[in-house]
Amino acid sequence: MQNTSYIALSRQMTMARELELVANNIANAETTAYRGERMMFTDFLHDPDNAPQTHFARDVAVVRNLAQGRPIETGAPLDVMIDGDGYFQVETPFGPRYTRNGKFSTDADGRLITTTGDPVMAAGGGTITVPLNQGPIQVGTDGTVATDAGPLAQIALMRFDSDFQLRKTQSGLYATDAQPQEVEEPKLVQGMVEGSNVQPVVEMTRMMSLLRAFESAQKVIDTEHENQRRAVERILRQA
């Protein structure tokens, strides 16, 4: 196979992986606090001795779109949206994890938990317990959880030097080895959650463009294969 086919095939392989990302983005267009992803590409130069240089397409990383998702009003008193930077800190069996999904509830012990049952951490450490029968729950813009009996705790809101230090795990959670820092001026909104930042129309357009590019690369491979076949036939006829 000639270099032309190798180059087209390398592009097809990267486009196939990017198509998986686009499909996943579309599937999560309604997932709370989901952040869209796309592939980062680079040009790989193959420079052998006594042969022409060849440039191949290479995918090197998956990059998250860090733009804040659209606000969704739910009216639920335990739903909390982060307006700006920061992540909620939650405790899991695997250690601390971080999320922007503020769709919270309480467990049988009154602890504030996520949709997956992980306790939400308070500023300074510890979990947050909401006693029953103490009136409506209020969550202040600084994350202070209170009832008619007074303040209970403040929801921890953490930030990092770079959001790309966070690794996506399961259930919309992120893990990291970096040291978190408390957000100095948190801004939370009660009764709302952050929606996905995926724009389905944009993703569908990307998918169609990728499919057309994939088909074009396949035509290049088919044409190169046909040229080789004809060349071989000519050589055999002359032999």
Side-chain angles (χ1 to χ4, degrees), residues 68-222:
Q68 183 168 322
R70 66 190 186 281
I72 300 175
E73 185 173 0
T74 65
L78 294 179
D79 286 352
V80 184
M81 184 188 77
I82 302 172
D83 187 7
D85 294 335
Y87 294 83
F88 299 112
Q89 183 176 358
V90 301
E91 189 60 40
T92 75
F94 309 102
R97 294 292 185 266
Y98 304 90
T99 181
R100 286 184 64 91
N101 184 349
K103 196 167 187 60
F104 301 144
S105 59
T106 55
D107 62 12
D109 297 323
R111 292 184 307 171
L112 195 65
I113 58 173
T114 65
T115 54
T116 54
D118 300 313
V120 180
M121 302 303 291
T127 59
I128 301 171
T129 301
V130 180
L132 300 175
N133 304 319
Q134 288 193 2
I137 300 169
Q138 295 92 35
V139 180
T141 57
D142 65 347
T144 299
V145 181
T147 64
D148 289 344
L152 302 171
Q154 184 180 12
I155 298 174
L157 194 63
M158 315 304 289
R159 68 175 183 85
F160 300 87
D161 291 334
S162 171
D163 285 11
F164 294 113
Q165 293 175 311
L166 296 165
R167 308 184 301 275
K168 187 171 74 171
T169 59
Q170 59 185 0
S171 304
L173 300 177
Y174 297 97
T176 182
D177 297 322
Q179 187 65 32
Q181 307 166 49
E182 290 191 2
V183 175
E184 294 180 357
E185 297 182 3
K187 188 176 180 182
L188 303 181
V189 183
Q190 184 180 18
M192 303 187 77
V193 293
E194 178 183 348
S196 170
N197 67 1
V198 171
Q199 297 176 290
V201 174
V202 173
E203 296 300 316
M204 289 297 296
T205 303
R206 281 181 60 201
M207 178 174 282
M208 289 186 289
S209 297
L210 283 168
L211 289 172
R212 285 195 294 266
F214 192 94
E215 291 172 354
S216 296
Q218 185 60 48
K219 289 180 181 178
V220 170
I221 294 174
D222 292 342

Side-chain angles (χ1 to χ4, degrees), residues 18-63:
E18 189 173 13
L19 276 168
E20 291 179 4
L21 286 182
V22 172
N24 189 57
N25 287 342
I26 294 172
N28 286 281
E30 299 299 325
T31 300
T32 304
Y34 178 82
R35 290 185 161 181
E37 298 175 323
R38 64 190 314 143
M39 198 74 73
M40 177 184 290
F41 297 98
T42 188
D43 186 30
F44 175 72
L45 174 63
H46 180 57
D47 189 13
D49 295 333
N50 302 318
Q53 293 182 344
T54 306
H55 293 261
F56 295 95
R58 179 184 177 190
D59 51 333
V60 294
V62 174
V63 181

